[in-house]
Amino acid sequence: MKLYQVRKGQFVYYNNELHKVYGVKPMYKLSIHLIKLRDLSQHITSAASIEKYIPKENDSFIFDHKVYTLRQNQRPSAGDFILINNPAPDTLDHYSLNEIEVVETVDNKGVVTSDLDGIRHSEYLLMAPGRAPDSHPIDYKDMAGIDENYDDAGPQIIHPYAELSTQIGDIYKKKDNDMLIEAMVIAIKGHTIYLGGGYEVPHDELMNTDQWEFQYNPFNNGQS
Protein backbone atom coordinates (compact mmCIF):
# COMPACT_ATOMS: atom_id res chain seq x y z
CA MET A 1 0.00 0.00 0.00
CA LYS A 2 0.95 3.66 -0.32
CA LEU A 3 1.23 5.60 2.93
CA TYR A 4 -1.60 7.97 1.98
CA GLN A 5 -3.94 4.97 1.60
CA VAL A 6 -3.43 3.68 5.14
CA ARG A 7 -6.03 4.56 7.78
CA LYS A 8 -6.37 3.69 11.44
CA GLY A 9 -8.64 0.69 11.90
CA GLN A 10 -8.02 -0.96 8.54
CA PHE A 11 -7.55 -4.72 8.45
CA VAL A 12 -4.33 -5.54 6.64
CA TYR A 13 -2.10 -8.49 5.91
CA TYR A 14 1.47 -8.23 7.15
CA ASN A 15 3.88 -11.16 6.88
CA ASN A 16 0.87 -13.14 5.56
CA GLU A 17 -1.10 -12.73 8.83
CA LEU A 18 -4.15 -10.61 9.62
CA HIS A 19 -3.48 -7.39 11.53
CA LYS A 20 -5.27 -4.14 12.28
CA VAL A 21 -3.77 -0.67 11.92
CA TYR A 22 -3.85 1.25 15.20
CA GLY A 23 -1.53 4.11 14.32
CA VAL A 24 0.05 5.92 11.36
CA LYS A 25 3.11 8.13 11.86
CA PRO A 26 4.10 9.53 8.45
CA MET A 27 7.35 11.12 9.64
CA TYR A 28 8.98 7.74 10.35
CA LYS A 29 10.32 5.12 7.93
CA LEU A 30 8.48 2.42 9.90
CA SER A 31 5.32 4.47 10.06
CA ILE A 32 2.58 1.85 10.43
CA HIS A 33 1.70 0.50 13.88
CA LEU A 34 -0.19 -2.79 13.83
CA ILE A 35 -1.93 -5.21 16.17
CA LYS A 36 -1.89 -8.87 15.16
CA LEU A 37 -5.47 -9.96 15.76
CA ARG A 38 -4.51 -13.53 16.59
CA ASP A 39 -2.64 -12.65 19.80
CA LEU A 40 -2.90 -8.82 20.11
CA SER A 41 0.87 -8.39 19.81
CA GLN A 42 2.07 -5.03 18.49
CA HIS A 43 4.26 -4.58 15.41
CA ILE A 44 5.65 -1.72 13.33
CA THR A 45 6.37 -1.71 9.62
CA SER A 46 6.15 0.36 6.44
CA ALA A 47 3.12 0.94 4.25
CA ALA A 48 4.75 -1.00 1.42
CA SER A 49 4.75 -4.17 3.57
CA ILE A 50 0.99 -4.36 4.13
CA GLU A 51 -2.06 -5.17 2.02
CA LYS A 52 -5.57 -3.99 2.90
CA TYR A 53 -8.45 -6.38 3.49
CA ILE A 54 -12.09 -5.36 4.04
CA PRO A 55 -13.84 -7.76 6.45
CA LYS A 56 -17.29 -8.97 5.45
CA GLU A 57 -20.08 -11.29 6.51
CA ASN A 58 -19.06 -14.95 6.96
CA ASP A 59 -15.37 -14.13 7.33
CA SER A 60 -13.81 -15.99 10.24
CA PHE A 61 -10.60 -15.26 12.13
CA ILE A 62 -8.83 -15.65 15.45
CA PHE A 63 -9.04 -12.69 17.83
CA ASP A 64 -7.10 -12.88 21.09
CA HIS A 65 -6.65 -16.68 20.79
CA LYS A 66 -10.35 -17.38 20.09
CA VAL A 67 -12.10 -18.01 16.77
CA TYR A 68 -15.04 -15.91 15.57
CA THR A 69 -17.27 -15.76 12.48
CA LEU A 70 -18.73 -12.44 11.32
CA ARG A 71 -22.53 -12.41 11.03
CA GLN A 72 -24.60 -9.61 9.47
CA ASN A 73 -28.19 -10.20 10.54
CA GLN A 74 -27.73 -12.00 13.83
CA ARG A 75 -28.52 -9.94 16.92
CA PRO A 76 -25.91 -10.00 19.69
CA SER A 77 -26.46 -10.68 23.36
CA ALA A 78 -24.84 -8.99 26.33
CA GLY A 79 -21.19 -10.00 26.48
CA ASP A 80 -20.80 -10.63 22.74
CA PHE A 81 -18.11 -8.96 20.65
CA ILE A 82 -19.04 -6.81 17.66
CA LEU A 83 -16.86 -5.47 14.85
CA ILE A 84 -17.83 -1.92 13.89
CA ASN A 85 -17.35 -2.15 10.13
CA ASN A 86 -19.69 0.68 9.07
CA PRO A 87 -19.22 3.42 11.70
CA ALA A 88 -21.51 6.44 11.75
CA PRO A 89 -20.90 7.86 15.24
CA ASP A 90 -22.91 10.67 16.76
CA THR A 91 -21.17 13.71 18.20
CA LEU A 92 -20.65 12.24 21.66
CA ASP A 93 -19.55 8.79 20.48
CA HIS A 94 -15.89 7.88 20.15
CA TYR A 95 -15.79 4.69 18.10
CA SER A 96 -14.23 4.35 14.66
CA LEU A 97 -13.60 1.88 11.84
CA ASN A 98 -13.21 -1.79 12.79
CA GLU A 99 -13.15 -1.23 16.52
CA ILE A 100 -14.06 -4.35 18.47
CA GLU A 101 -16.31 -3.69 21.43
CA VAL A 102 -18.26 -5.71 23.98
CA VAL A 103 -22.06 -5.44 24.00
CA GLU A 104 -23.71 -4.35 27.25
CA THR A 105 -27.36 -3.95 26.21
CA VAL A 106 -29.43 -4.52 23.06
CA ASP A 107 -32.67 -2.92 21.86
CA ASN A 108 -34.53 -2.54 18.56
CA LYS A 109 -32.42 0.41 17.42
CA GLY A 110 -28.98 -0.88 18.28
CA VAL A 111 -26.60 -1.75 21.08
CA VAL A 112 -24.77 0.01 23.88
CA THR A 113 -21.25 -1.24 24.48
CA SER A 114 -19.05 -1.43 27.55
CA ASP A 115 -17.38 1.78 26.29
CA LEU A 116 -20.82 3.47 26.50
CA ASP A 117 -21.05 3.86 22.73
CA GLY A 118 -24.51 3.66 21.17
CA ILE A 119 -24.18 1.74 17.90
CA ARG A 120 -26.94 1.12 15.36
CA HIS A 121 -27.52 -2.41 14.10
CA SER A 122 -26.46 -1.28 10.61
CA GLU A 123 -23.01 -0.29 11.84
CA TYR A 124 -21.57 -3.60 13.00
CA LEU A 125 -21.05 -7.29 12.36
CA LEU A 126 -21.56 -9.76 15.18
CA MET A 127 -18.48 -11.79 16.09
CA ALA A 128 -20.16 -15.16 16.65
CA PRO A 129 -17.92 -17.59 18.58
CA GLY A 130 -16.45 -20.44 16.56
CA ARG A 131 -15.53 -20.97 12.93
CA ALA A 132 -18.77 -21.67 11.07
CA PRO A 133 -18.62 -24.43 8.41
CA ASP A 134 -19.72 -21.96 5.71
CA SER A 135 -17.22 -19.29 6.76
CA HIS A 136 -14.29 -17.85 4.83
CA PRO A 137 -11.10 -18.00 6.95
CA ILE A 138 -9.09 -14.77 6.67
CA ASP A 139 -6.35 -15.41 9.25
CA TYR A 140 -3.79 -15.74 6.45
CA LYS A 141 -3.64 -14.17 3.00
CA ASP A 142 -1.99 -17.28 1.56
CA MET A 143 -2.99 -20.57 3.16
CA ALA A 144 -0.27 -22.56 1.35
CA GLY A 145 1.94 -24.26 3.89
CA ILE A 146 -0.26 -23.34 6.87
CA ASP A 147 -0.90 -26.18 9.32
CA GLU A 148 -4.51 -27.38 9.04
CA ASN A 149 -4.76 -27.06 12.83
CA TYR A 150 -4.08 -23.33 12.75
CA ASP A 151 -7.18 -22.67 14.87
CA ASP A 152 -4.97 -23.74 17.76
CA ALA A 153 -3.43 -20.32 18.29
CA GLY A 154 -0.71 -21.55 20.59
CA PRO A 155 1.86 -22.83 18.05
CA GLN A 156 1.66 -19.59 16.07
CA ILE A 157 3.03 -17.48 18.93
CA ILE A 158 6.72 -16.89 18.36
CA HIS A 159 7.96 -16.60 21.93
CA PRO A 160 8.45 -18.96 24.86
CA TYR A 161 6.02 -17.40 27.32
CA ALA A 162 2.85 -19.44 26.88
CA GLU A 163 0.03 -17.25 25.56
CA LEU A 164 1.76 -13.92 26.15
CA SER A 165 2.63 -11.82 23.10
CA THR A 166 5.61 -10.00 24.61
CA GLN A 167 9.30 -10.82 24.22
CA ILE A 168 12.42 -9.96 26.19
CA GLY A 169 13.92 -6.87 24.59
CA ASP A 170 10.65 -5.31 23.41
CA ILE A 171 10.72 -1.56 23.94
CA TYR A 172 7.48 0.24 24.79
CA LYS A 173 6.60 3.92 25.15
CA LYS A 174 4.01 4.97 27.73
CA LYS A 175 1.30 7.09 26.13
CA ASP A 176 -0.99 8.20 28.98
CA ASN A 177 1.69 10.15 30.82
CA ASP A 178 2.96 13.74 30.63
CA MET A 179 6.54 12.51 31.04
CA LEU A 180 8.24 10.61 28.20
CA ILE A 181 8.79 7.03 29.33
CA GLU A 182 10.39 4.36 27.16
CA ALA A 183 11.37 1.07 28.73
CA MET A 184 12.58 -2.37 27.69
CA VAL A 185 11.05 -5.67 28.75
CA ILE A 186 13.74 -7.23 30.93
CA ALA A 187 11.85 -10.08 32.58
CA ILE A 188 8.53 -11.93 32.43
CA LYS A 189 6.99 -13.85 35.32
CA GLY A 190 3.58 -15.36 34.71
CA HIS A 191 1.42 -12.53 33.37
CA THR A 192 3.56 -9.81 34.95
CA ILE A 193 5.97 -7.88 32.73
CA TYR A 194 9.05 -6.25 34.25
CA LEU A 195 10.39 -3.19 32.44
CA GLY A 196 13.63 -1.29 32.87
CA GLY A 197 13.41 1.60 35.30
CA GLY A 198 11.55 -0.46 37.87
CA TYR A 199 8.21 -0.62 36.08
CA GLU A 200 6.05 -3.68 36.73
CA VAL A 201 2.85 -3.99 34.69
CA PRO A 202 0.27 -6.68 33.93
CA HIS A 203 0.49 -8.09 30.41
CA ASP A 204 -3.04 -6.89 29.61
CA GLU A 205 -2.08 -3.31 30.46
CA LEU A 206 1.04 -3.44 28.30
CA MET A 207 -1.08 -4.66 25.36
CA ASN A 208 -3.51 -1.74 25.77
CA THR A 209 -2.56 0.58 22.90
CA ASP A 210 -4.10 3.54 24.72
CA GLN A 211 -1.51 3.12 27.48
CA TRP A 212 1.62 1.60 25.91
CA GLU A 213 2.91 1.64 22.34
CA PHE A 214 5.40 -0.90 21.02
CA GLN A 215 8.50 0.73 19.48
CA TYR A 216 10.92 -2.01 18.39
CA ASN A 217 13.05 -4.91 19.60
CA PRO A 218 16.80 -4.34 19.06
CA PHE A 219 17.44 -8.09 19.20
CA ASN A 220 14.93 -8.96 16.48
CA ASN A 221 16.81 -8.45 13.24
CA GLY A 222 13.91 -9.77 11.18
CA GLN A 223 11.60 -6.94 12.22
CA SER A 224 10.64 -4.61 9.40
Side-chain angles (χ1 to χ4, degrees):
M1 294 177 67
K2 302 293 186 182
L3 181 59
Y4 69 84
Q5 297 174 313
V6 183
R7 298 289 184 273
K8 180 179 178 181
Q10 287 174 332
F11 276 26
V12 298
Y13 286 108
Y14 168 61
N15 285 345
N16 198 40
E17 289 197 68
L18 189 66
H19 293 67
K20 188 174 80 168
V21 177
Y22 77 85
V24 181
K25 298 188 175 181
M27 67 289 296
Y28 296 103
K29 181 179 179 181
L30 298 179
S31 55
I32 310 302
H33 290 246
L34 304 172
I35 296 176
K36 186 190 296 186
L37 292 178
R38 170 179 288 272
D39 59 13
L40 304 188
S41 58
Q42 299 182 35
H43 305 268
I44 54 175
T45 188
S46 63
S49 300
I50 62 176
E51 182 175 339
K52 184 172 73 171
Y53 181 81
I54 300 175
K56 56 187 181 298
E57 184 180 15
N58 289 335
D59 283 348
S60 61
F61 60 93
I62 295 173
F63 171 69
D64 194 13
H65 306 281
K66 297 180 181 178
V67 185
Y68 298 90
T69 299
L70 299 178
R71 295 303 195 192
Q72 178 84 55
N73 297 314
Q74 185 175 335
R75 290 290 175 89
S77 301
D80 285 342
F81 284 111
I82 57 171
L83 174 71
I84 306 172
N85 67 320
N86 185 34
D90 293 327
T91 305
L92 298 179
D93 290 321
H94 302 288
Y95 59 90
S96 57
L97 178 66
N98 289 336
E99 288 196 20
I100 294 174
E101 296 198 17
V102 179
V103 173
E104 286 281 337
T105 61
V106 184
D107 61 27
N108 290 333
K109 293 183 178 180
V111 303
V112 175
T113 70
S114 57
D115 290 337
L116 301 181
D117 288 319
I119 302 170
R120 302 171 188 86
H121 291 306
S122 59
E123 296 181 73
Y124 68 83
L125 295 169
L126 171 66
M127 293 172 56
R131 198 180 297 276
D134 64 341
S135 71
H136 170 234
I138 61 171
D139 306 88
Y140 300 93
K141 182 178 184 294
D142 182 3
M143 292 296 297
I146 301 300
D147 191 314
E148 63 181 9
N149 295 317
Y150 66 92
D151 276 0
D152 179 6
Q156 301 297 327
I157 302 173
I158 55 172
H159 52 75
Y161 302 106
E163 62 181 20
L164 302 187
S165 50
T166 302
Q167 303 181 66
I168 299 295
D170 285 353
I171 294 177
Y172 287 86
K173 180 172 71 174
K174 190 159 179 59
K175 297 177 67 176
D176 58 343
N177 197 301
D178 293 334
M179 182 185 303
L180 176 62
I181 297 174
E182 285 193 1
M184 177 183 286
V185 176
I186 58 174
I188 299 173
K189 182 178 181 181
H191 285 256
T192 301
I193 311 299
Y194 297 89
L195 302 171
Y199 295 97
E200 178 181 330
V201 298
H203 177 259
D204 288 347
E205 178 183 324
L206 194 64
M207 292 298 98
N208 185 335
T209 56
D210 291 328
Q211 296 180 279
W212 293 90
E213 183 177 83
F214 174 70
Q215 301 298 296
Y216 61 96
N217 187 316
F219 308 119
N220 186 354
N221 294 326
Q223 184 173 279
S224 59

